């Protein structure tokens, strides 16, 4: 079945540091890939998505590239801010799952000033 | 503006009681989902619906039920609450099958004593 594996957290960075959160997946067919973000006390929000191999999703300075050969969708940001502190979830939707999403465990990011 | 709401936001109940969590969306989306969020597990799918009168079991459906009598609402019922069901519950919706971007509610924190 489908599965998503994220790097273990929590991750603590200083402001303006470079961020990478690793995500790899197992899926049948050609899944769409997502990063969702959850700020404290809130629901999840879509951060970015990619629907086919080599697509790059980007939003708010975050980027992730759909790599079919390595089954990965790593999240990156060149310079994090304190306001980026949140939990980040990698997810996929495969052709066999209809509109259902399979989530990774989530990675807690804390950015210190 | 269209939105998705959940109520109550916080609930404390006792083992064995029946509990219903409400989810209401004004997006006019066909698809609705219920997830639970637990530390170390990310989000796990409980039940989902692709339209009125349609309901399906997810990954962790035991002890839960849903009904879909209209487009806007998908209430989640815990038939006989157990301590293992203490969790944060999120409702989400998406437009149609094949439309895989989901929009999440703010969550309900349920404690079963």
């Amino acid at each position: 079945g489908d599965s998503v594996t994220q790097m273990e957290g929590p991750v603590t960075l200083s402001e303006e540091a470079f961020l990478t959160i690793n995500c790899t997946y197992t899926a049948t067919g050609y899944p769409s890939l997502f990063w969702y973000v959850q700020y404290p006390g809130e629901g999840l929000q879509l951060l970015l998505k990619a629907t086919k191999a080599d697509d790059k999703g980007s939003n708010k300075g975050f980027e992730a590239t759909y790599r079919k050969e390595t089954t990965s969708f790593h999240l990156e940001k060149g310079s994090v801010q304190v306001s980026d502190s949140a939990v980040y979830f990698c997810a996929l939707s495969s052709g066999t799952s209809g509109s259902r999403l399979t989530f990774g465990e989530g990675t807690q990011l804390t950015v210190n000033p | 503006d269209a939105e998705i709401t959940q109520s109550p936001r916080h609930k404390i109940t006792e083992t064995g009681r029946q509990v219903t969590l409400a989810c209401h969306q004004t997006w006019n989306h066909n698809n609705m989902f219920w997830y639970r969020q637990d530390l170390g597990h990310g989000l796990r799918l409980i039940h989902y619906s692709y339209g009125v009168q349609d309901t399906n079991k997810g990954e962790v459906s035991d002890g839960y039920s849903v009904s879909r009598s209209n487009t806007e609402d998908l209430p989640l019922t815990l038939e006989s609450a157990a301590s293992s069901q203490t969790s944060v519950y999120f409702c989400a919706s998406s437009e149609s099958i094949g439309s895989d971007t989901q929009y999440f509610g703010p969550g309900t924190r349920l404690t079963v004593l």
Side-chain angles (χ1 to χ4, degrees):
Chain A
D2 299 343
S3 67
V4 175
T5 302
Q6 288 183 233
M7 66 182 293
E8 293 185 9
V11 175
T12 302
L13 297 173
S14 298
E15 205 165 24
E16 299 184 3
F18 185 85
L19 168 71
T20 299
I21 301 177
N22 291 336
C23 172
T24 57
Y25 68 89
T26 302
T28 53
Y30 302 94
S32 295
L33 301 173
F34 306 80
W35 278 100
Y36 279 82
V37 59
Q38 182 181 30
Y39 297 104
E42 298 183 9
L44 279 71
Q45 304 173 22
L46 179 66
L47 181 59
L48 54 84
K49 65 184 281 189
T51 58
K52 60 182 187 294
D54 300 324
D55 268 2
K56 178 184 286 187
S58 61
N59 186 25
K60 300 181 181 180
F62 291 89
E63 294 183 339
T65 301
Y66 189 143
R67 301 288 188 197
K68 190 172 187 296
E69 64 275 14
T70 55
T71 61
S72 65
F73 193 55
H74 304 321
L75 182 68
E76 297 182 336
K77 186 175 185 182
S79 176
V80 293
Q81 306 300 311
V82 172
S83 58
D84 294 327
S85 297
V87 181
Y88 292 82
F89 291 92
C90 186
L92 70 82
S93 173
S94 74
T96 60
S97 66
S99 298
R100 303 192 304 278
L101 292 175
T102 300
F103 286 88
E105 294 182 3
T107 301
Q108 172 75 58
L109 170 67
T110 301
V111 180
N112 295 319
Chain B
D1 286 347
E3 61 178 356
I4 180 166
T5 58
Q6 295 183 234
S7 62
R9 294 295 310 278
H10 302 272
K11 174 77 175 178
I12 299 174
T13 191
E14 295 178 344
T15 301
R17 290 190 180 270
Q18 183 181 81
V19 176
T20 297
L21 308 182
C23 174
H24 179 80
Q25 53 98 1
T26 59
W27 296 95
N28 201 35
H29 284 166
N30 287 324
N31 305 335
M32 295 185 74
F33 307 86
W34 274 104
Y35 297 90
R36 59 178 289 174
Q37 183 181 22
D38 303 288
L39 197 63
H41 291 281
L43 274 77
R44 292 180 291 176
L45 183 64
I46 305 171
H47 281 286
Y48 59 100
S49 169
Y50 287 149
V52 176
Q53 303 301 330
D54 176 73
T55 61
N56 305 279
K57 294 181 178 180
E59 178 187 357
V60 290
S61 61
D62 288 349
Y64 303 94
S65 64
V66 294
S67 61
R68 187 88 180 272
S69 59
N70 59 52
T71 301
E72 296 81 15
D73 299 290
L74 188 70
L76 177 71
T77 297
L78 286 68
E79 304 294 344
S80 177
S83 58
S84 60
Q85 295 176 307
T86 293
S87 186
V88 180
Y89 291 85
F90 288 98
C91 180
S93 70
S94 65
E95 186 171 353
S96 60
I97 293 179
S99 172
D100 42 24
T101 299
Q102 293 185 14
Y103 299 86
F104 282 79
T108 294
R109 182 174 295 276
L110 176 67
T111 302
V112 182
L113 301 176

